[in-house]
């Protein structure tokens, strides 16, 4: 009975903190001013990550101190990422500072024994990694996914919807294998995130900001590593599919265009979907549905052979790489413009020819009329 009371307390605390943030966002400097890449047109309060995480931290400290003490290093790592997110929401911190904090947090996880120690089982052989490879790979994976979730936070309700689905799958894994840490961590963030989702659904009353997206990304990366005890690495790729594919595809597209992989643009999956549908809610529902479908596939294949799962994910990657290609739409638009221009040119030539024929006819008629008068 303890967990339901904790979750209910988190929901109530999160709701109160969200309302306070919306009310006092301007004096606190937590306002998101729209720019050329923004989907919103007016200033919106941001920094809801403060309410999301602080509600969890407050309730866990009051009602579940033993759990917090037992997994102190994990919660400390999450807090470190949360702090740099808050700094960014208020002062706009540099990418280097964010990566520094994320690497420190990732190192704490590694020190606590939470790292990627295997690439999975292929044809009956387990590919175990030496520490010299496991450490940098773990840091790279954590930093990559933490920022991947930050990158999809572009439409009202999108990051929250995708995160809720992923956290729900990890909660199911934790429940099946009776893992207290996975159950508590995932369910706590689900409870707090549901409140944010209510306030963030289009039209949004508040944004999560980096304090939310970085913290959620780090928590999901942590849960992914913790779940490797029960699921193959390839199945984790399916469970976290949308943020991963979006990041991979955007980086490849930027490299193909000869620009920095870290340069911001409007070539993400949610931008592409919004251009097609022209509606924020429908776009979010469609992307969340794709996430739910592949997360359930990942859940079902968690114990399957790693090779087949990895091949299936690779195939999925190439399908998405070509399906969500902004250049295809650009080419279609260019061809339509060229076709329209060609049709205009043909029409102009026909009009000129008709004018010439009409002129020639008039001249010929005048000459005949003159001859008849003579």
């Amino acid at each position: 009975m303890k967990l339901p009371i904790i979750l209910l307390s988190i929901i109530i605390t999160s709701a109160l903190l969200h309302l306070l943030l919306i009310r006092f966002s301007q004096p606190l400097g937590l306002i998101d001013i729209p720019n050329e890449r923004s989907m919103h047109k007016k200033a919106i309060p941001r920094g809801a990550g403060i309410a999301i995480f602080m509600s969890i931290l407050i309730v866990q400290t009051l009602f579940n101190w033993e759990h917090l003490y037992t997994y102190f290093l994990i919660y400390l790592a999450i807090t470190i990422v949360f702090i740099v997110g808050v700094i960014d929401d208020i002062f706009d911190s540099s990418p280097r500072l964010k990566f520094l904090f994320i690497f420190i947090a990732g190192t704490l996880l590694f020190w606590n024994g939470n790292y990627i120690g295997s690439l999975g089982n292929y044809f009956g052989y387990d590919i175990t990694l030496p520490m010299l490879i496991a450490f940098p790979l773990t840091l790279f994976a954590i930093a990559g996914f933490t920022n991947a979730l930050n990158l999809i936070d572009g439409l009202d309700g999108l990051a929250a919807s995708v995160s809720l689905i992923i956290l729900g799958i990890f909660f199911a894994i934790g429940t099946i294998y009776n893992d207290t840490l996975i159950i508590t961590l995932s369910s706590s963030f689900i409870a707090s995130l549901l409140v944010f989702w209510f306030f963030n659904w289009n039209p949004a009353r508040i944004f999560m900001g980096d304090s939310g997206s970085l913290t959620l990304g780090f928590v999901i990366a942590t849960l992914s590593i913790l779940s490797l005890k029960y699921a193959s690495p390839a199945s984790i790729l399916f469970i976290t599919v949308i943020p991963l594919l979006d990041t991979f595809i955007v980086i490849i597209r930027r490299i193909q265009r000869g620009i920095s992989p870290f340069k911001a643009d409007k070539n993400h999956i949610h931008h592409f979907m919004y251009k097609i549908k022209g509606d924020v809610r429908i776009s979010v529902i469609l992307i969340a549905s794709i996430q739910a479908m592949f997360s359930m596939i990942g859940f079902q294949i968690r114990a399957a052979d790693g090779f087949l799962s990895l091949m299936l994910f690779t195939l999925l990657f190439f399908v998405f790489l070509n399906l969500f290609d902004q250049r295809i739409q650009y080419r279609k638009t260019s061809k339509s413009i060229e076709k329209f221009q060609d049709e205009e040119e043909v029409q102009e030539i026909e009009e000129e020819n008709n004018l010439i024929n009409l002129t020639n006819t008039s001249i010929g008629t005048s000459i005949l009329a003159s001859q008849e008068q003579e």
Side-chain angles (χ1 to χ4, degrees):
M1 287 296 292
K2 191 176 182 180
L3 185 60
I5 294 173
I6 289 173
L7 297 181
L8 181 60
S9 301
I10 289 173
I11 290 172
I12 295 170
T13 307
S14 181
L16 291 173
L17 290 177
H18 274 91
L19 290 171
L20 287 172
L21 277 172
I22 293 172
R23 175 67 178 83
F24 297 104
S25 59
Q26 193 161 355
L28 293 171
L30 294 169
I31 296 291
D32 191 282
I33 307 299
N35 55 37
E36 66 278 358
R37 293 185 296 106
S38 302
M39 302 299 290
H40 60 290
K41 304 301 180 184
K42 62 178 182 178
I44 302 289
R46 68 179 178 186
I50 298 171
I52 294 170
F53 181 64
M54 288 306 298
S55 61
I56 296 170
L57 197 60
I58 291 169
V59 172
Q60 294 289 359
T61 302
L62 293 175
F63 300 108
N64 203 13
W65 171 252
E66 289 183 3
H67 168 81
L68 210 60
Y69 179 77
T70 303
Y71 302 105
F72 173 73
L73 282 179
I74 290 178
Y75 282 95
L76 176 61
I78 297 170
T79 304
I80 289 171
V81 176
F82 167 72
I83 289 171
V84 76
V86 174
I87 292 172
D88 185 75
D89 284 340
I90 300 174
F91 304 107
D92 290 327
S93 62
S94 67
R96 288 184 180 181
L97 183 64
K98 293 180 191 177
F99 277 110
L100 175 62
F101 275 64
I102 292 170
F103 284 144
I104 292 172
T107 303
L108 282 177
L109 285 184
F110 185 86
W111 189 19
N112 195 54
N114 309 116
Y115 57 87
I116 303 173
S118 170
L119 293 180
N121 189 286
Y122 301 90
F123 303 110
Y125 295 95
D126 188 68
I127 302 179
T128 305
L129 300 174
M131 288 297 178
L132 287 175
I133 296 177
F135 177 60
L137 178 62
T138 300
L139 290 185
F140 175 79
I142 290 172
F145 191 85
T146 300
N147 283 279
L149 193 71
N150 186 31
L151 292 177
I152 68 163
D153 187 23
L155 293 178
D156 295 346
L158 179 59
S161 299
V162 169
S163 296
L164 283 169
I165 292 165
I166 296 172
L167 290 169
I169 295 296
F170 284 129
F171 177 75
I173 291 174
T175 302
I176 289 173
Y177 297 99
N178 197 28
D179 190 303
T180 304
L181 177 57
I182 294 178
I183 291 172
T184 305
L185 193 58
S186 59
S187 62
S188 296
F189 273 90
I190 288 172
S192 190
L193 198 56
L194 279 170
V195 177
F196 167 74
W197 184 84
F198 173 78
F199 287 107
N200 185 240
W201 188 250
N202 182 258
R205 294 176 61 188
I206 190 170
F207 295 148
M208 68 168 61
D210 277 22
S211 59
S213 59
L214 292 179
T215 304
L216 275 172
F218 186 82
V219 167
I220 291 174
T222 302
L223 288 168
S224 298
I225 294 172
L226 293 172
S227 298
L228 288 175
K229 292 181 289 185
Y230 317 112
S232 67
S235 67
I236 298 296
L237 295 178
F238 278 93
I239 293 172
T240 58
V241 66
I242 289 295
L244 289 181
L245 285 182
D246 181 61
T247 302
F248 290 155
I249 292 169
V250 166
I251 288 175
I252 288 174
R253 292 295 178 224
R254 289 170 184 171
I255 293 173
Q256 287 176 337
R257 296 201 306 269
I259 62 176
S260 170
F262 305 104
K263 182 178 174 60
D265 57 28
K266 297 184 73 171
N267 292 309
H268 293 276
I269 290 175
H270 55 271
H271 291 129
F272 187 88
M273 191 69 76
Y274 180 74
K275 285 181 181 178
I276 295 174
K277 295 300 178 182
D279 185 275
V280 172
R281 295 184 181 186
I282 293 176
S283 300
V284 171
I285 291 171
L286 286 173
I287 296 172
S289 299
I290 295 171
Q291 175 65 60
M293 180 177 63
F294 285 106
S295 288
M296 286 187 285
I297 290 174
F299 178 74
Q300 292 296 329
I301 65 171
R302 63 187 183 279
D305 182 80
F307 178 76
L308 293 177
S309 302
L310 190 60
M311 290 299 100
L312 184 58
F313 183 82
T314 304
L315 177 63
L316 177 66
F317 168 73
F318 282 107
V319 169
F320 269 66
L321 184 65
N322 290 280
L323 182 63
F324 294 100
D325 189 351
Q326 301 277 19
R327 298 177 302 174
I328 294 174
Q329 187 68 27
Y330 175 78
R331 292 188 192 112
K332 287 181 179 178
T333 304
S334 299
K335 287 180 180 178
S336 298
I337 292 172
E338 289 175 1
K339 183 180 179 181
F340 178 74
Q341 289 174 341
D342 290 341
E343 289 176 352
E344 278 193 331
E345 289 177 4
V346 170
Q347 187 175 356
E348 287 176 1
I349 292 171
E350 288 178 351
E351 288 178 355
E352 288 178 1
N353 290 334
N354 290 336
L355 183 60
I356 291 170
N357 292 333
L358 182 61
T359 304
N360 291 337
T361 303
S362 300
I363 293 171
T365 304
S366 300
I367 292 172
L368 288 173
S370 299
Q371 289 175 349
E372 290 177 358
Q373 287 177 359
E374 291 176 357

